[in-house]
Amino acid sequence: MFVESVVRWLLWSFLLQFELEVFAGSCPLRCVCRSEAKEVICSGKHLNSVPEGFSSDARRLDLSYNKIKTVGRRQFHSLPQLQELDLSDNSISMIEVEAFQGLQSLRTLRIKNNRLKIIPVGVFSGLSSLRFLDLSQNEILVFLDYTFKEMVNLQKLEASENDLVFISQRAFFGLQNLQELNLDRSNLTSIPTEALSQLQNLARLRMLRLTISTLPNNAFRRLHRLRSLQIMNWPTLETIAGNSLNGLNLTSLVISSCNLSTVPYSALRNLVYLKILDLSYNPITVIQGNLLGDLIRLQEFHLAGGSLIRIEPAAFRGLPYFRMLNVTSNQLTTLEESAFHSVGNLQILRLDGNPLACDCRLLWVVRRRLRLNFDGHQPSCTSPDAVRRRVFREFSEKELPKLFTCRPARIMDRKPRDARVEEGSTVLLSCKAEGDPSPSITWISSHKNVVTSTGRIRVLANGTLEVRFAQVQDSGTYQCLASNAAGNESLSFGLYVKEVPRNRTGPSFYTEEGWGEPSNPKAANSSAQIAKPYPFDAKTLIIATTMGFLSFLSSVAICFVFMFFWSQSKGQIKHTATIDFVPRSSMGGGGGDGGDGGRFTMKLI
Ligand SMILES: *[C@@H]1O[C@H](CO)[C@@H](O)[C@H](O)[C@H]1NC(C)=O
Ligand SMILES: *[C@@H]1O[C@H](CO)[C@@H](O)[C@H](O)[C@H]1NC(C)=O
Ligand SMILES: *[C@@H]1O[C@H](CO)[C@@H](O)[C@H](O)[C@H]1NC(C)=O
Ligand SMILES: *[C@@H]1O[C@H](CO)[C@@H](O)[C@H](O)[C@H]1NC(C)=O
Ligand SMILES: *[C@@H]1O[C@H](CO)[C@@H](O)[C@H](O)[C@H]1NC(C)=O
Ligand SMILES: *[C@@H]1O[C@H](CO)[C@@H](O)[C@H](O)[C@H]1NC(C)=O
Ligand SMILES: *[C@@H]1O[C@H](CO)[C@@H](O)[C@H](O)[C@H]1NC(C)=O
Ligand SMILES: *[C@@H]1O[C@H](CO)[C@@H](O)[C@H](O)[C@H]1NC(C)=O
């Protein structure tokens, strides 16, 4: 037994000696040292603390997957040539000030997945050559001022998945060469604008999974070199202020999986170098026409998985380099050629996952079905029934003229319809049209303006024109225009409003509810329908009644005050007073409670 263990010990120390000799004289216990690569690998060795006895010419030290809890002051001072240090996946909760002092060649430092809560200022002192620092998956709460002060060469800082609630204004002071910063999954509740503004060479900023609901104006000011901004998975982000991206010169912007309901046109306006815009997974319903024209270098637009129901004509007008549109998985029924500056430049189109109506509007896509790159996902038809579920590639050239067709808009019931009404009445002019796809109806007023869906004169949802409380100046010709992708048709209506001679006792006034004075429209002479406004309303009645009641109460109150002063001035104290009053006839119910109708006795104090 004893001999055996002595032999084993000798053998072991011999091996150890051998290793030490191979690796410039020393290798820590339980570690593997590769002299030719100048590596010391102590990964997964159940170490409770940083071992000792490193060779001074080591370039790489791997201490990951151990149980190290603290890193002491000047722990690595004997390793001036070390370039890479990995402390990931330990239980480090404490790093003393100047822990890395002396590592003047260190380029990469990984402290990922530990239990750091606080990083005292000075921990990173001496790391002037560091290029990459990984602090992700710790429990860091704040970055204090000057934490990274000496890291003038740091290029990438990975700080994701911490409990960060605050980044102090000067925390990033000194990081003059930082190019990439990742701040995913932190508990920040606002953009650390001041701190970020120190990073004048930052080119890429990524912030995933934050609970911030608004991007305020000038949120990223002074980040002049920033080229790529990624904001993803902010489920509460609803507002992007118009000047929030001011000062940025981005080439790529991602704001996806947030809660935006509109494309933030005004915030995007100044990003004239933008090439890629990704707004996927936001509940955006429309891409409006002519509002992205400032992004003259835009090449790609992604809005996958949104709530798009319409891409308006000219949506991408003015974008000569536009080559990729990704609108997979939305609610689009069509995509018209007129949305683009020139479909000739379009190379990649993701249109699958939409309830497409295969009519003449999509003919341009199906004609290019062999040339366009659908990214492996062919679009397919949802309607009409004859082609339901058929994918675009399957259609033969011969079928196309019969299948992808439209019927031009046509106004039904075209007999001339003039409406003659009296002032104050309400007129409905109906205009119905048919066609495939179903036509849209526009009304042009006698002053050549397009009538909107709000106001006294408005277009109802079913295309009917409504003129409420018609006035003489409303008279004129109104034009109904029905149009769809295949054509348009228009029809004119004359409206004649006759002045009603009035017998006024007071001035009449117009309110949203109607004329303040009774008007008496006689049956109007047309197919138009008339509604009668009412003479007066409940509100007026209530006000009138209340006024009467108040004046009654105030006369009683004045009476009381008078009696009080009278009794005082007499010098003698009168303890009771009897008050008589005559209730107003309109308020008869108010005072008639006592037996004698209008009298009660009160005590004076
Ligand atoms: C940070 O957020 C996570 C998840 O929302 C939560 O569990 C944690 O307690 C928060 N930490 C702090 C310091 O607020
Ligand atoms: C997203 O916005 C809608 C309304 O705009 C709101 O009802 C919903 O609660 C928001 N979702 C989140 C996660 O804030
Ligand atoms: C904006 O970025 C582009 C390329 O990314 C660059 O050519 C241009 O000079 C920059 N403009 C400004 C004002 O920095
Ligand atoms: C389009 O968007 C989907 C969903 O985000 C994505 O998976 C796909 O890669 C995108 N296609 C292209 C060509 O970028
Ligand atoms: C259009 O709608 C209005 C009110 O919603 C209704 O009074 C009118 O009859 C409708 N017209 C037609 C032609 O359906
Ligand atoms: C209506 O159609 C004509 C040609 O048929 C066209 O010139 C005109 O621009 C169209 N008008 C509208 C508003 O679509
Ligand atoms: C006002 O009405 C009375 C009858 O109600 C009528 O005799 C009189 O001519 C009217 N005045 C005007 C100016 O219409
Ligand atoms: C106006 O109505 C009257 C009866 O109410 C009718 O006799 C007359 O023909 C109508 N005039 C027009 C232009 O419709």
Side-chain angles (χ1 to χ4, degrees), residues 501-504:
R502 270 166 220 280
N503 223 339
R504 332 199 145 169

Side-chain angles (χ1 to χ4, degrees), residues 505-571:
T505 47
S508 70
F509 54 92
Y510 170 74
T511 67
E512 267 304 303
E513 281 82 38
W515 293 96
E517 193 189 39
S519 69
N520 185 21
K522 298 197 178 94
N525 245 353
S526 76
S527 62
Q529 300 148 46
I530 315 294
K532 289 176 190 140
Y534 6 144
F536 44 83
D537 57 349
K539 206 163 35 179
T540 321
L541 270 179
I542 290 170
I543 290 171
T545 316
T546 313
M547 300 275 277
F549 184 62
L550 282 179
S551 65
F552 161 70
L553 275 187
S554 55
S555 33
V556 170
I558 288 168
C559 206
F560 271 49
V561 170
F562 178 77
M563 295 229 24
F564 176 74
F565 282 113
W566 175 72
S567 68
Q568 294 286 303
S569 64
K570 280 279 185 184

Side-chain angles (χ1 to χ4, degrees), residues 363-374 378-379 391-398 400:
L363 196 56
W364 72 273
V365 179
V366 82
R367 282 216 177 111
R368 287 175 169 76
R369 66 196 179 285
L370 301 177
R371 250 177 300 150
L372 271 177
N373 177 353
F374 292 117
Q378 287 278 326
V391 297
F392 280 25
R393 191 186 40 219
E394 281 178 13
F395 292 107
S396 70
E397 210 59 44
K398 250 192 283 170
L400 296 187

Side-chain angles (χ1 to χ4, degrees), residues 192-454:
T193 300
E194 277 302 321
L196 290 175
S197 72
Q198 314 258 320
L199 301 172
Q200 309 212 344
N201 274 308
L202 197 68
R204 287 178 298 281
L205 174 59
R206 198 181 72 197
M207 293 187 283
L208 271 56
R209 302 205 201 192
L210 302 193
T211 42
I212 295 178
S213 59
T214 168
L215 284 192
N217 282 332
N218 302 307
F220 303 99
R221 68 200 162 79
R222 288 204 246 151
L223 295 179
H224 306 297
R225 297 272 166 82
L226 197 68
R227 293 291 174 267
S228 162
L229 175 60
Q230 276 185 294
I231 290 175
M232 286 164 77
N233 273 300
W234 296 19
T236 56
L237 183 69
E238 287 177 25
T239 337
I240 303 224
N243 293 324
S244 56
L245 305 178
N246 265 16
L248 293 181
N249 180 12
L250 301 176
T251 53
S252 165
L253 173 62
V254 180
I255 308 181
S256 70
S257 301
C258 298
N259 204 6
L260 302 183
S261 52
T262 56
V263 177
Y265 301 103
S266 50
L268 298 174
R269 219 174 31 217
N270 55 340
L271 301 177
V272 293
Y273 282 90
L274 199 67
K275 289 184 181 159
I276 301 172
L277 176 58
D278 187 347
L279 299 173
S280 295
Y281 304 103
N282 278 293
I284 295 173
T285 53
V286 184
I287 303 174
Q288 284 169 260
N290 287 313
L291 290 178
L292 292 172
D294 291 327
L295 310 180
I296 46 174
R297 293 175 181 82
L298 196 70
Q299 298 180 3
E300 298 181 16
F301 184 93
H302 301 255
L303 210 170
S307 310
L308 280 179
I309 49 176
R310 204 166 71 245
I311 295 181
E312 293 187 347
F316 307 110
R317 177 171 294 167
L319 310 180
Y321 303 103
F322 197 71
R323 48 178 284 277
M324 154 133 80
L325 177 64
N326 188 351
V327 286
T328 175
S329 307
N330 279 284
Q331 298 302 318
L332 293 168
T333 51
T334 195
L335 175 63
E336 293 188 50
E337 192 174 356
S338 59
F340 300 90
H341 188 82
S342 146
V343 287
N345 294 343
L346 195 66
Q347 292 167 16
I348 304 170
L349 176 63
R350 279 290 299 267
L351 197 53
D352 55 293
N354 284 290
L356 298 176
C358 288
D359 56 36
C360 66
R361 294 170 295 174
L362 283 173
L363 196 56
W364 72 273
V365 179
V366 82
R367 282 216 177 111
R368 287 175 169 76
R369 66 196 179 285
L370 301 177
R371 250 177 300 150
L372 271 177
N373 177 353
F374 292 117
D375 188 27
H377 296 78
Q378 287 278 326
S380 62
C381 304
T382 297
S383 69
D385 285 340
V387 291
R388 203 177 158 76
R389 297 226 178 82
R390 287 188 62 183
V391 297
F392 280 25
R393 191 186 40 219
E394 281 178 13
F395 292 107
S396 70
E397 210 59 44
K398 250 192 283 170
E399 288 178 284
L400 296 187
K402 263 179 286 153
L403 290 177
F404 283 77
T405 57
C406 289
R407 256 181 313 119
R410 209 177 57 78
I411 295 176
M412 293 142 65
D413 191 14
R414 288 193 58 102
K415 63 174 189 275
R417 281 173 289 181
D418 288 351
R420 286 166 208 285
V421 298
E422 285 190 351
E423 217 178 348
S425 47
T426 293
V427 190
L428 293 170
L429 300 175
S430 101
C431 178
K432 276 192 170 170
E434 54 161 19
D436 181 21
S438 60
S440 65
I441 304 244
T442 313
W443 281 89
I444 319 280
S445 76
S446 49
H447 308 292
K448 302 283 168 237
N449 296 323
V450 172
V451 181
T452 62
S453 59
T454 54

Side-chain angles (χ1 to χ4, degrees), residues 172-203:
F172 295 139
F173 179 86
L175 292 177
Q176 49 194 262
N177 282 304
L178 196 73
Q179 291 176 9
E180 184 169 349
L181 173 62
N182 295 335
L183 283 173
D184 306 346
R185 280 254 288 271
S186 66
N187 291 25
L188 294 171
T189 51
S190 65
I191 312 269
T193 300
E194 277 302 321
L196 290 175
S197 72
Q198 314 258 320
L199 301 172
Q200 309 212 344
N201 274 308
L202 197 68

